[in-house]
Amino acid sequence: MKHGEDDTAQRGRLAGVVKEEKGQPVEGVTVALKGTSFGTTTGPDGSYRLSAPAGSYQLVVSSLGYTSQELTVTVTAGETTTLPEFALAQSNQQLSEVTVTGNRSLNERPTSISKLPVASLDLPQSAVTVERQVLEQQQVLRLSDALANVSGLYVTSTTGGTQEELGSRGFAYGSNNTFKNGVRFNNGVMPEASSLERMEVLKGSAAILYGNVAAGGVLNLVTKKPQFERGGSVGLRVGSFGFWKPMVDVYGAVGKSEKVAFRLNGTYEQGNSYRDEVKSDRVYVNPSLLFELSPKTTLVLEGDYLRDNRTPDFGIGAIDYVIQESRSRFLNVPGASNATNQTSTTATLTSRLNDTWQIRGVAGFQRYDNELRTATRPVPPVTSPSSATYGDLTRSLQRTETNENYFLAQLDLTGKFRTGFLEHTVLIGADADQYLTNTLAYSGPTSATNSRVNVTAYDAINILNRSKVVAQPKERIGSFDALVRNLSTQSNTRRAGFYVQDLLSLSEKVKVLAGLRWSYQETPSDLYYHNTAANRAGTNKFGPLAGQLVNNRRYDDAFSPRLGVVYQPIKTTALFASYSSSFTPQSNTAVDLEGKPLPPSIIDQYEVGIKNDLFKGALSANVTAYRIVNSNQIQSVLPTDPRFQTAQTTSPQELAGEVTSKGVEVDIQSKPMYGLSFIAGYSYNHTAYTNSNIFENGSRLRYNPAHTANLSLFYNFGSTFGENGFLRGLTAGITTYYVGDKLAGRNPRTVNPADGKPWPTGTDANKFISIPNYLQFDASLGYTYDRFSVRVKMANLLNELSYNMHDDNSVNPIAPRNFSATLGYRL
């Protein structure tokens, strides 16, 4: 076992006391295991207690004004070893600050999201880990702030300003691809970043491990864990636009227990915005407990509560697919709100059965509640559509209520053993999860003049001149409370999977990873139409009359294979090639010409790359190239197709389309060297239709930037000027992130899907919007003295203006130049 690995199943403890020469206890002394991430500080009585995996270490004891000491120690699993008393001698020189950090490179770190206890260097797949130290240095507030550390990971859109939708390699992540501590996380709300221990990104297909996930990759957010050493911090972050955020993080043993430890993270956040009338407030609490049930078995219980209330914000508006440049224009109505509550619990039991096998079980529950009251996208008035050219648009109201219960059970068995000359690292697992989702949508009330029509309009405005008097609709909705129940959707998605994979070491230089997963999925959905005008008239676009219940049932299964080869000519370099597949189930209404449900689309992914640890592991440099092909994408059978005339359904579809994504990614990370550390990356992606009966072949899909680039530099002056009283606590950093050649709007069509005939040139209403390229440049400074710290950050120093967009109806500008400062105190 390598020092520094998170192996809580074989932990032991070290305990002792640190005093000065005259016998008085010394508080705040750093006690750390050299070359690992395990460390603590002494309490007021000079005592310390340090938990770490079993093994031999070099213990370092150091503090300002004293001469450091080292001692060889042995940690014994399940036991507490009391060490001799340390007597620190005063030094005539001030010592450099001791920073306890992990000692593993990007390619040496195993990732929990990969489920295999092996270094990334041994995997035929690109993986990136961003540690807590980097997140704190960059003062990451949202996940979008952390994108500057991972090539090819980007924001696709921020629909309504209430969430950050991420993607990579041409595919959106969504809730299926976003995990917290290995459990799916509903990304309809922005996750809290202050509680993160690290962020893991496993690029490419992960279907063999998690079933129904998109082909681009998966993201795992790992929260801070309990520790037996007492400690923590309190802080306050303030910033531009009235932002303020108090934070607390405390941990330690429960009482004087050597078997139970706790951790509690909590924040409150409130702020206005550079956007007119936009506000937010949120509360986050993350408690956790660690039980050492035996020297080989641990149980971690984690809770997570987030309440997030904010103003829904669909941005500044567009007219005929042209952005109406602004940073502050707000188009929503008074009283608009988006209220979300998300609660989750996770239990993780890990037990090392023997020297060969380990078992890990996870049980999780998540509750998600959301109530949205907002205006819809402003549209041209029905009576005068040409007036939209001058900015005259009509606003309507929408209201939805969603609650979702999510359950997960997962069991993984991992083992390392030999058969003859072959060395195996085996994963055998099974998982099952269930979504119980209820969504209630509202619509406008019945028109007073026509009982077959619903009133939808709220008012009319001019988005270019809000003071302009605009003719109002004849009938209007007065408030959100005037909306009436329209459609209830009750979904009960059930999934299960069984998987096995083996990393075979054929020799010291050649490894083969082979595996297979079988997934099963049920997606029943009940639609209940309420008593609105369209339903009473029988004209609801869904078909049923008022009060009618529609049952949709769908059953799918798929196999997801994986095969990869790793060649390591030297221990610090690996070349790899791999093939894997993933699948995308169709909607409940997707049926073929005979009215039968269509099977899932199978997506093939090919990946090659090279991983390097250079300069004795001080620098990791990885390059990956990939090609992802969905050769059986769903598309409609057009009315001009002869088969359409004999179809047994009005909307037949088939698996005949094709989308291809290809690209290159470069990731570079360094360890701290002479106080300097850096992260850099570049990605190129081209995702396009390569076979379509509606869109032009070769036309790119929206939301995926062709180019991203990132560079982050961080320098600790104390590593060079350690004896200088002022500079020893000073740090500085810069972060840059570039996004280029990104499209939004809607893909222009070559054929009218309504009649299957070609569009006359220039008559298709769909258009692309080219999003302005931008380079975001951030700078930060930090200073630490004793237990106090202050960090300041200036974001978007160049004041770049660009947008995150969904279609053309959520045009959200990025934040302008802004300032933040964080004051902290280490407990």
Side-chain angles (χ1 to χ4, degrees):
M1 179 182 63
K2 296 179 180 178
H3 292 170
E5 291 184 5
D6 185 16
D7 189 353
T8 55
Q10 291 194 14
R11 284 181 178 269
R13 285 163 295 280
L14 300 174
V17 176
V18 179
K19 297 182 178 180
E20 62 175 5
E21 290 177 300
K22 296 181 179 181
Q24 296 298 315
V26 185
E27 182 182 3
V29 175
T30 298
V31 182
L33 299 180
K34 192 174 184 178
T36 78
S37 59
F38 301 104
T40 187
T41 56
T42 57
D45 60 353
S47 67
Y48 63 89
R49 184 165 52 184
L50 173 63
S51 175
S56 297
Y57 301 88
Q58 197 72 11
L59 184 74
V60 180
V61 179
S62 60
S63 182
L64 289 175
Y66 295 94
T67 301
S68 62
Q69 296 185 25
E70 294 191 13
L71 177 68
T72 300
V73 298
T74 299
V75 178
T76 304
E79 297 183 6
T80 299
T81 302
T82 301
L83 299 177
E85 179 181 295
F86 282 96
L88 293 184
Q90 291 192 352
S91 171
N92 294 327
Q93 294 180 330
Q94 290 183 310
L95 297 176
S96 300
E97 179 183 10
V98 176
T99 302
V100 181
T101 62
N103 197 37
R104 290 173 292 177
S105 71
L106 171 65
N107 293 324
E108 291 172 332
R109 301 173 201 150
T111 58
S112 59
I113 194 69
S114 69
K115 296 189 178 182
L116 279 179
V118 299
S120 176
L121 193 70
D122 295 330
L123 289 177
Q125 189 170 11
S126 178
V128 176
T129 303
V130 183
E131 301 289 351
R132 177 178 63 180
Q133 182 183 9
V134 174
L135 300 176
E136 291 178 348
Q137 288 170 353
Q138 297 174 347
Q139 300 177 65
V140 166
L141 180 65
R142 299 283 179 257
L143 283 187
S144 56
D145 299 332
L147 301 187
N149 304 300
V150 184
S151 70
L153 184 61
Y154 48 83
V155 174
T156 59
S157 61
T158 54
T159 307
T162 58
Q163 60 180 335
E164 294 179 329
E165 299 157 72
L166 305 182
S168 70
R169 299 189 175 184
F171 296 86
Y173 275 22
S175 295
N176 273 340
N177 288 53
T178 307
F179 296 79
K180 178 174 280 191
N181 298 318
V183 178
R184 279 185 169 89
F185 175 86
N186 191 315
N187 71 339
V189 63
M190 298 180 187
E192 179 58 43
S194 65
S195 67
L196 296 185
E197 182 67 32
R198 65 182 181 274
M199 182 177 81
E200 300 175 340
V201 181
L202 188 63
K203 299 182 182 181
S205 174
I208 189 173
L209 302 175
Y210 299 101
N212 178 26
V213 290
V218 291
L219 169 68
N220 186 37
L221 307 175
V222 182
T223 56
K224 300 173 183 176
K225 306 303 180 189
Q227 297 183 32
F228 284 93
E229 305 76 36
R230 290 194 176 275
S233 62
V234 293
L236 175 65
R237 179 167 179 162
V238 296
S240 302
F241 320 115
F243 179 91
W244 63 285
K245 180 176 185 173
M247 301 169 285
V248 62
D249 175 21
V250 292
Y251 53 84
V254 176
K256 296 184 178 180
S257 173
E258 296 184 354
K259 300 293 184 180
V260 185
F262 77 95
R263 190 155 197 162
L264 178 64
N265 291 288
T267 68
Y268 173 75
E269 178 182 313
Q270 188 176 77
N272 297 321
S273 172
Y274 57 96
R275 306 275 299 126
D276 293 343
E277 303 180 46
V278 173
K279 298 180 180 180
S280 66
D281 72 85
R282 53 194 269 145
V283 174
Y284 176 76
V285 182
N286 172 219
S288 56
L289 288 170
L290 167 64
F291 299 87
E292 291 195 352
L293 304 181
S294 76
K296 294 185 177 182
T297 303
T298 62
L299 173 66
V300 179
L301 302 179
E302 297 173 277
D304 210 73
Y305 170 75
L306 175 62
R307 188 211 71 199
D308 185 283
N309 297 329
R310 61 186 59 242
T311 308
D313 177 17
F314 289 88
I316 61 173
I319 298 176
D320 193 24
Y321 294 90
V322 177
I323 299 174
Q324 304 303 306
E325 188 172 294
S326 173
R327 211 158 214 153
S328 60
R329 183 189 304 117
F330 180 72
L331 301 181
N332 217 326
V333 299
S337 65
N338 185 80
T340 303
N341 283 275
Q342 184 164 273
T343 305
S344 65
T345 57
T346 305
T348 303
L349 181 70
T350 304
S351 181
R352 185 167 294 278
L353 304 178
N354 51 44
D355 292 339
T356 301
W357 295 97
Q358 176 177 291
I359 193 168
R360 181 175 182 267
V362 179
F365 168 76
Q366 180 183 121
R367 171 75 179 189
Y368 174 85
D369 293 281
N370 174 265
E371 182 173 1
L372 174 66
R373 297 184 174 204
T374 183
T376 60
R377 167 201 178 197
V379 296
V382 176
T383 56
S384 179
S386 62
S387 64
T389 304
Y390 307 101
D392 292 348
L393 298 175
T394 299
R395 295 189 295 187
S396 298
L397 300 184
Q398 65 175 344
R399 178 182 174 186
T400 60
E401 298 170 9
T402 302
N403 61 77
E404 176 182 274
N405 291 323
Y406 175 67
F407 306 87
L408 167 81
Q410 177 181 293
L411 190 65
D412 291 320
L413 179 67
T414 55
K416 289 187 176 184
F417 58 93
R418 299 186 69 91
T419 56
F421 71 94
L422 293 176
E423 181 178 322
H424 303 263
T425 303
V426 173
L427 166 67
I428 303 171
D431 56 37
D433 63 354
Q434 181 178 29
Y435 281 101
L436 294 171
T437 308
N438 295 300
T439 303
L440 176 62
Y442 291 73
S443 67
T446 304
S447 168
T449 58
N450 186 345
S451 62
R452 299 172 67 89
V453 175
N454 287 4
V455 178
T456 59
Y458 173 76
D459 67 359
I461 61 172
N462 185 279
I463 68 170
L464 302 180
N465 181 4
R466 294 298 298 273
S467 63
K468 178 182 176 180
V469 178
V470 181
Q472 298 298 306
K474 293 181 179 179
E475 287 189 282
R476 300 164 55 190
I477 302 174
S479 68
F480 290 105
D481 292 332
L483 297 172
V484 295
R485 292 169 177 254
N486 177 36
L487 173 64
S488 295
T489 303
Q490 299 178 358
S491 301
N492 184 8
T493 301
R494 294 184 286 266
R495 297 182 292 210
F498 303 91
Y499 47 94
V500 58
Q501 65 178 14
D502 187 3
L503 179 64
L504 298 99
S505 296
L506 306 183
S507 68
E508 290 186 359
K509 296 184 177 181
V510 180
K511 296 179 175 67
V512 174
L513 179 64
L516 182 67
R517 177 191 177 100
W518 177 75
S519 299
Y520 173 76
Q521 181 165 320
E522 296 180 14
T523 51
S525 179
D526 298 333
L527 308 179
Y528 188 86
Y529 296 93
H530 295 271
N531 194 27
T532 62
N535 288 324
R536 289 197 302 274
T539 58
N540 190 293
K541 67 178 181 179
F542 298 101
L545 300 176
Q548 185 171 340
L549 178 66
V550 177
N551 298 305
N552 291 316
R553 295 291 184 271
R554 184 176 184 87
Y555 309 93
D556 291 302
D557 68 282
F559 286 96
S560 301
R562 181 184 191 185
L563 179 64
V565 178
V566 179
Y567 174 63
Q568 298 175 333
I570 56 176
K571 291 184 178 181
T572 57
T573 296
L575 294 87
F576 68 89
S578 68
Y579 163 78
S580 56
S581 76
S582 54
F583 65 96
T584 302
Q586 317 302 345
S587 70
N588 285 344
T589 58
V591 295
D592 62 14
L593 290 156
E594 297 179 357
K596 298 178 180 179
L598 287 168
S601 295
I602 304 299
I603 304 170
D604 298 309
Q605 184 156 182
Y606 308 87
E607 189 169 346
V608 297
I610 182 171
K611 301 179 183 180
N612 293 284
D613 274 352
L614 308 172
F615 310 113
K616 296 182 179 182
L619 180 69
S620 298
N622 302 340
V623 181
T624 306
Y626 59 87
R627 179 180 175 86
I628 308 172
V629 182
N630 181 358
S631 58
N632 55 359
Q633 188 191 39
I634 191 170
Q635 65 181 21
S636 298
V637 177
L638 298 177
T640 51
D641 191 313
R643 299 173 297 166
F644 187 89
Q645 306 307 319
T646 58
Q648 299 179 28
T649 178
T650 56
S651 302
Q653 295 176 297
E654 60 182 346
L655 301 180
E658 182 178 88
V659 168
T660 301
S661 169
K662 54 187 178 182
V664 176
E665 296 165 344
V666 180
D667 284 291
I668 302 173
Q669 281 193 20
S670 79
K671 295 180 183 179
M673 297 176 292
Y674 305 106
L676 177 67
S677 61
F678 67 91
I679 297 173
Y682 168 77
S683 74
Y684 167 78
N685 174 263
H686 186 271
T687 303
Y689 290 103
T690 45
N691 185 27
S692 175
N693 61 356
I694 293 179
F695 302 106
E696 181 180 357
N697 289 338
S699 61
R700 289 172 52 200
L701 272 67
R702 304 164 295 165
Y703 311 136
N704 307 300
H707 306 277
T708 71
N710 57 278
L711 174 64
S712 177
L713 296 172
F714 187 81
Y715 184 66
N716 184 345
F717 288 85
S719 297
T720 305
F721 305 99
E723 296 182 3
N724 186 305
F726 174 76
L727 291 177
R728 65 162 301 276
L730 183 64
T731 59
I734 61 169
T735 301
T736 61
Y737 181 62
Y738 172 77
V739 175
D741 195 6
K742 185 179 179 184
L743 299 173
R746 294 175 175 83
N747 281 73
R749 298 162 294 187
T750 58
V751 172
N752 185 345
D755 59 18
K757 298 178 181 179
W759 288 99
T761 303
T763 60
D764 182 17
N766 288 359
K767 298 178 182 179
F768 276 131
I769 298 177
S770 181
I771 299 176
N773 303 341
Y774 70 94
L775 174 68
Q776 181 159 326
F777 183 87
D778 302 342
S780 63
L781 283 174
Y783 187 73
T784 301
Y785 178 76
D786 195 16
R787 295 174 178 266
F788 295 91
S789 65
V790 59
R791 289 191 175 107
V792 295
K793 177 181 178 180
M794 186 67 74
N796 196 4
L797 272 169
L798 304 178
N799 205 32
E800 292 271 72
L801 175 60
S802 189
Y803 307 89
N804 290 307
M805 297 182 60
H806 178 79
D807 294 338
D808 65 329
N809 53 24
S810 190
V811 185
N812 299 94
I814 64 173
R817 184 184 298 114
N818 62 92
F819 166 84
S820 64
T822 303
L823 305 175
Y825 177 77
R826 181 168 52 86
L827 301 175

